[in-house]
Amino acid sequence: MDYPQLGAWLADQNQQANTLLALVCWIALGLALYCLIRKIRPALADRIVANLPVLYCVLASVLMLVTR
Amino acid sequence: MKTFRLPDWAKLAILAGLLRSLLIARENLWFDEAFCYWIINPGSNFWAAIRGDDHPPLWYLIEAAVTRLLGLSELTMRLPAMLAGVGCVLLVWAIARELFGRRVGLTAGIIAALLPASVYFGQDARMYSFLAFCVLLMVYALIARRQALYVLAGIGAVYTHNVGVLFVLAIGLAYAIERRAWRALLPSLLIALAWLPWAGEALAAVGKTRASFWAPPLSIGGVLYPGLLDTMGWRLANIVQAPIAIILILLSLIAGWQVLAWRRQPKTFTLLAATVGGPLLLVFFCLTISNVWVYRALYPAALGLCVLWAYTLQSLQGEIGRNVRLLFAVALGIGLLGHYIPQHPRPDVVSWLAPIRSGWQAGDVIYYLNAVDAIQFQLYAGLPFALRPTPDNLLAVSAQSREAFGLTEIPLRATGARRAWVSFGSNPFTTRAELDYVQGLMSYPRIVISQADQTTLYLVEIGGRFDRTVTP
């Protein structure tokens, strides 16, 4: 059976799944980087943790602009 | 003076009950719920309808019993899911408390109570809340070493949803590994034995699903997606989805890292089997046998995730713990708000029907172009209707189901009606044949009554003089 609009929908679903995968990869990378910083520059790691909500707000704002 | 303090389970039951009963009957039944209505409707052939569907009968039997007792309405149809939802919260609390103590138990219970998808499933007249209840009860029963309860819950799971079989397999194997004894598989074998009478139907359902289903091809991102949908739901405004996903991913990655240390705690294996094992088995099934990636059926795993999150939130110390808890609380709050003020609500069927009711004349008919529209709208319409003859399609409303529901399929001219109200909603599953049919309808005298989103309501003159008393 022929579904003229199905291809576009599947592509959209695929893109959403890929966006989520990309987010997971970036956050995993961020966490790995944080662990490294904690080993070599503990003071900087503490500052990152202290400013986590601010960092989050910046990141969330950027994402909201991008995905608007 | 001794003050009366509510026990934790009572506080959680009240919180979960309040959130799930709030606005429970506000929205009309959407397609899947309406499908359930048609199955349990006294006018339908119940067992023929069950055989026409892909799901086992237990949930429909529960719905039928409750609605026979209390009457048919949105509230009564969603009531069993609400009660199962409260039960799920209590089981999440009990499992976490048994494994990690009171603080983690209470945190896990609160998360499960507030989780937007948990509230959604607790207000949805579908089987997922009850499936999660059965799966969590299996986990709890094994942790509490109550094997008879495990068998009972397992039978409940496999007769509620076919994916329940995979959860039984995962949890049963995990229990055998935990106990390091083959004998520990015995209770699961009893469940398998009880499932045998339904096994043929379940395998047939896989075949049917393989032949016609809407699941996109599986990808790594697609495998991860239920982790977001089954926790935060799908009613959130698009703009906040990614920011909330960040918090969940962050917490889940930290939790995943901590869980690696649980390999020395065999009692956690059954919980991990429900949280990770079940979904992995479904991935394996999709890759090797048939792509049936039904993310709603993985909702029990999302509730298992609540325990992992609670453990992590309680174990993170100092400033990082405070900040992660704060971010997670914000995510839950926004998610819950998104549930009650949704960007993607269930369709407002009653409003859709309003112009038909106001313009209705004797001799009219509502003509549905596909079974999906008929199932969703006709239960609220209660007006003469007919359904365009359609072959089985991707949305899998089988000919057997249509017949069991008494959905009469006749060509438009054969209805004998003078005027037909035709709704056409374009969606990804609209067939070319349906588009061509709508094009053909344009040759009749017609007026457009309303247009909303991608749905158009036409009034079509079939024979005689066209009545223009209805104004668009």
Side-chain angles (χ1 to χ4, degrees):
Chain A
M1 204 173 281
D2 189 6
Y3 300 88
Q5 297 162 57
L6 190 60
W9 181 77
L10 286 175
D12 182 53
Q13 295 284 304
N14 203 31
Q15 196 194 339
Q16 284 183 35
N18 287 341
T19 305
L20 184 70
L21 180 62
L23 270 181
V24 172
C25 291
W26 279 110
I27 294 167
L29 196 68
L31 272 175
L33 198 64
Y34 168 77
C35 291
L36 189 71
I37 292 169
R38 203 172 57 173
K39 273 204 175 10
I40 56 174
R41 298 275 300 275
L44 179 60
D46 286 346
R47 282 182 60 191
I48 291 173
V49 164
N51 291 301
L52 195 61
V54 180
L55 282 173
Y56 170 74
C57 287
V58 172
L59 188 60
S61 308
V62 171
L63 271 174
M64 282 160 86
L65 281 174
V66 172
T67 58
R68 192 167 48 147
Chain B
M1 196 176 82
K2 195 175 175 184
T3 52
F4 177 71
R5 290 186 65 179
L6 278 176
D8 289 349
W9 67 266
K11 289 179 200 162
L12 288 171
I14 291 169
L15 176 67
L18 280 177
L19 288 173
R20 279 149 192 76
S21 52
L22 181 67
L23 304 173
I24 187 171
R26 174 184 56 166
E27 292 173 67
N28 297 149
L29 301 176
W30 70 291
F31 170 71
D32 279 19
E33 294 179 301
F35 192 87
C36 179
Y37 164 89
W38 282 92
I39 290 181
I40 62 169
N41 181 13
S44 298
N45 181 339
F46 183 80
W47 287 107
I50 293 283
R51 291 176 72 97
D53 186 29
D54 301 331
H55 298 100
L58 182 57
W59 175 253
Y60 298 117
L61 286 168
I62 293 171
E63 285 275 324
V66 171
T67 51
R68 296 285 194 284
L69 213 64
L70 302 174
L72 258 168
S73 69
E74 282 98 345
L75 177 63
T76 55
M77 282 193 67
R78 290 171 181 157
L79 189 64
M82 188 199 108
L83 296 175
V86 175
C88 284
V89 171
L90 294 180
L91 282 168
V92 166
W93 162 77
I95 291 167
R97 197 187 59 146
E98 285 286 323
L99 292 174
F100 307 112
R102 181 177 176 250
R103 277 168 65 94
V104 176
L106 193 58
T107 309
I110 292 171
I111 294 172
L114 299 177
L115 200 69
S118 173
V119 178
Y120 176 85
F121 283 121
Q123 298 184 327
D124 194 41
R126 295 292 285 165
M127 69 284 288
Y128 302 104
S129 195
F130 189 68
L131 173 70
F133 176 80
C134 292
V135 171
L136 291 171
L137 190 58
M138 283 161 62
V139 174
Y140 175 74
L142 289 181
I143 291 170
R145 301 284 184 261
R146 295 169 72 174
Q147 296 196 345
L149 186 62
Y150 166 73
V151 173
L152 198 68
I155 294 171
V158 296
Y159 276 97
T160 300
H161 198 288
N162 292 326
V163 171
V165 176
L166 300 181
F167 279 107
V168 170
L169 192 60
I171 293 169
L173 282 174
Y175 185 59
I177 293 169
E178 179 200 329
R179 304 291 287 175
R180 291 172 184 271
W182 289 110
R183 270 187 55 203
L185 280 176
L186 206 64
S188 305
L189 288 176
L190 281 178
I191 298 171
L193 209 63
W195 177 67
L196 273 182
W198 184 256
E201 290 288 337
L203 293 176
V206 171
K208 265 193 287 181
T209 310
R210 198 202 317 237
S212 64
F213 201 54
W214 42 268
L218 206 56
S219 62
I220 301 175
V223 168
L224 297 173
Y225 219 72
L228 185 63
L229 292 175
D230 286 341
T231 52
M232 282 297 155
W234 40 91
R235 290 154 69 94
L236 274 178
N238 294 342
I239 197 164
V240 295
Q241 283 177 9
I244 283 186
I246 294 176
I247 300 172
L248 298 195
I249 294 166
L250 179 71
L251 186 60
S252 302
L253 285 173
I254 301 172
W257 182 256
Q258 288 186 321
V259 161
L260 292 178
W262 288 7
R263 63 184 180 276
R264 289 185 212 93
Q265 297 183 52
K267 255 198 156 180
T268 62
F269 288 179
T270 49
L271 170 67
L272 290 177
T275 311
V276 187
L280 282 181
L281 280 179
L282 186 60
V283 170
F284 181 75
F285 189 89
C286 289
L287 294 177
T288 55
I289 300 171
S290 178
N291 182 18
V292 284
W293 187 243
V294 278
Y295 63 85
R296 285 165 197 264
L298 296 178
Y299 167 59
L303 288 179
L305 198 57
C306 291
V307 181
L308 272 60
W309 285 344
Y311 177 82
T312 299
L313 288 172
Q314 283 299 331
S315 61
L316 286 176
Q317 302 291 322
E319 197 152 26
I320 190 161
R322 269 198 305 278
N323 284 339
V324 172
R325 281 192 286 274
L326 171 73
L327 290 180
F328 186 66
V330 169
L332 265 189
I334 294 173
L336 203 56
L337 213 63
H339 170 77
Y340 290 113
I341 313 166
Q343 184 177 20
H344 309 286
R346 295 173 175 94
D348 186 355
V349 181
V350 171
S351 297
W352 179 86
L353 285 167
I356 300 181
R357 289 197 188 287
S358 63
W360 189 264
Q361 292 179 6
D364 284 1
V365 70
I366 301 178
Y367 196 64
Y368 296 108
L369 298 186
N370 58 62
V372 172
D373 285 349
I375 284 168
Q376 186 160 338
F377 296 122
Q378 186 54 31
L379 76 105
Y380 285 99
L383 294 165
F385 77 101
L387 171 63
R388 182 177 73 96
T390 47
D392 284 357
N393 63 22
L394 267 187
L395 282 172
V397 180
S398 66
Q400 197 175 9
S401 296
R402 298 196 294 266
E403 196 182 327
F405 298 161
L407 296 176
T408 325
E409 292 178 287
I410 39 176
L412 183 56
R413 280 202 172 277
T415 59
R418 203 165 55 86
R419 309 187 313 169
W421 298 82
V422 181
S423 161
F424 173 63
S426 169
N427 64 57
F429 310 104
T430 304
T431 60
R432 185 169 300 283
E434 197 174 325
L435 290 168
D436 291 345
Y437 187 87
V438 173
Q439 203 62 39
L441 272 185
M442 300 300 126
S443 62
Y444 287 90
R446 72 192 184 283
I447 53 173
V448 177
I449 298 295
S450 67
Q451 240 166 343
D453 294 329
Q454 288 181 307
T455 305
T456 310
L457 182 62
Y458 299 103
L459 181 57
V460 179
E461 179 196 29
I462 305 169
R465 191 178 63 81
F466 191 73
D467 190 334
R468 290 193 181 274
T469 52
V470 176
T471 47

